[in-house]
């Protein structure tokens, strides 16, 4: 039997390479929302900061976050052709589905964009799409998804690419898995001690049958 009944995925930076597209939007977003200029070097440096440190660095007040998130969601919906799944994700989803593991997406992105990037066939492998979630409100959404799936946090693996994903999973007692191919750097992910750090999508499948949790350092 698989170690988990449910795997909850973040979308941007976990299933899909939204970062490449997002970097092209940064200049216009900064201008529109009154942020200081974000050059490529500064954008890369942000990957090694905590969410609060990023907000401080860019001088973003909390009240602006919902407006920024809504703008990014709208832009993503208009540019789904520029956002692509990471290599290995399609095989991962099909493998987990074949193992009868329940799959869900919890994302601040919109469901229309998420489904469009996944495509109809792959989207059909997911039983729940909890999209449009607040950037810092994932824990409560995780609870609802777990309840609807009829399982427990202890039987749920949450997979994301940012510190806030780790913190949300830990807050409600889920197993926290972090991918090292997304937004946050491997070093800062490791510093926040998720149960797993995944180096490639196939590692997520293996975690369902491994007898121990691991945090590879190399």
């Amino acid at each position: 039997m698989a170690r988990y009944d449910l795997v909850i995925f973040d979308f941007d930076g976990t299933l899909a390479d939204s970062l490449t597209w997002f970097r092209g939007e940064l200049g216009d977003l900064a201008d529109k929302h009154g942020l200081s200029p974000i050059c490529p070097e500064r954008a890369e440096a942000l990957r090694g900061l905590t969410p609060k440190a990023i907000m401080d660095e860019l001088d973003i007040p909390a009240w602006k976050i919902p407006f920024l998130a809504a703008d990014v969601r709208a832009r993503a919906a208009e540019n789904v052709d520029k956002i692509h799944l990471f290599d290995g994700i399609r095989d991962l989803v099909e493998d987990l589905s074949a193992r009868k593991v329940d799959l869900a997406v919890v994302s601040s992105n919109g469901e229309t964009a998420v489904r469009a990037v996944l495509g109809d066939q792959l989207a059909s492998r997911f039983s729940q799409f909890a999209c449009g979630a607040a950037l810092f409100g994932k824990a409560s959404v995780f609870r609802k998804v777990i309840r609807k799936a009829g399982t427990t946090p202890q039987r749920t693996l949450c997979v994301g690419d940012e510190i806030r994903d780790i913190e949300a999973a830990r807050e409600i007692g889920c197993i926290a898995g972090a991918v090292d191919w997304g937004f946050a750097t491997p070093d800062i992910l490791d510093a926040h001690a998720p149960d797993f750090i995944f180096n490639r999508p196939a590692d997520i499948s293996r975690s369902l049958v491994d007898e121990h949790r691991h945090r590879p350092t190399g």
Side-chain angles (χ1 to χ4, degrees):
M1 183 176 70
R3 296 182 66 207
Y4 312 114
D5 300 319
L6 172 67
V7 178
I8 300 176
F9 287 100
D10 171 58
F11 182 73
D12 297 296
T14 302
L15 297 179
D17 181 12
S18 309
L19 185 58
T20 300
W21 162 78
F22 183 65
R23 281 175 170 154
E25 300 291 316
L26 274 176
D28 188 58
L29 279 166
D31 288 343
K32 180 177 177 180
H33 295 279
L35 308 180
S36 55
I38 307 173
C39 64
E41 293 76 17
R42 191 182 188 196
E44 181 62 25
L46 294 176
R47 298 181 62 229
L49 301 179
T50 65
K52 184 179 185 307
I54 291 172
M55 290 176 66
D56 291 343
E57 169 67 21
L58 298 179
D59 196 24
I60 303 174
W63 66 264
K64 269 191 179 181
I65 295 295
F67 298 98
L68 278 164
D71 194 355
V72 173
R73 279 196 298 271
R75 291 169 188 245
E78 294 172 358
N79 290 274
V80 291
D81 58 318
K82 299 177 183 177
I83 301 172
H84 307 287
L85 298 176
F86 286 108
D87 289 343
I89 292 299
R90 184 171 299 279
D91 289 342
L92 167 65
V93 171
E94 294 289 4
D95 179 60
L96 295 180
S97 178
R99 293 171 185 257
K100 307 302 182 185
V101 177
D102 206 357
L103 303 178
V105 171
V106 173
S107 174
S108 56
N109 208 333
E111 184 171 342
T112 299
V114 171
R115 285 182 175 275
V117 175
L118 287 172
D120 291 342
Q121 179 177 333
L122 214 60
S124 71
R125 308 306 187 205
F126 291 84
S127 62
Q128 296 186 60
F129 288 86
C131 297
L135 289 176
F136 297 100
K138 279 192 170 182
S140 62
V141 181
F142 285 168
R143 286 193 184 94
K144 293 176 183 176
V145 169
I146 292 167
R147 190 180 307 118
K148 187 173 180 179
T151 187
T152 65
Q154 295 75 22
R155 295 281 300 171
T156 301
L157 171 65
C158 297
V159 182
D161 68 313
E162 297 185 55
I163 295 165
R164 58 193 177 93
D165 298 316
I166 298 171
E167 293 174 341
R170 184 170 292 137
E171 181 179 333
I172 62 169
C174 294
I175 308 303
V179 304
D180 70 357
W181 56 78
F183 176 76
T185 62
D187 285 346
I188 197 166
L189 290 172
D190 188 65
H192 284 76
D195 296 294
F196 292 95
I197 294 181
F198 300 116
N199 305 121
R200 54 183 181 171
D203 293 340
I204 299 173
S205 286
R206 278 197 290 273
S207 76
L208 269 69
V209 295
D210 284 348
E211 291 297 324
H212 61 281
R213 300 181 190 178
H214 64 287
R215 295 176 56 234
T217 56

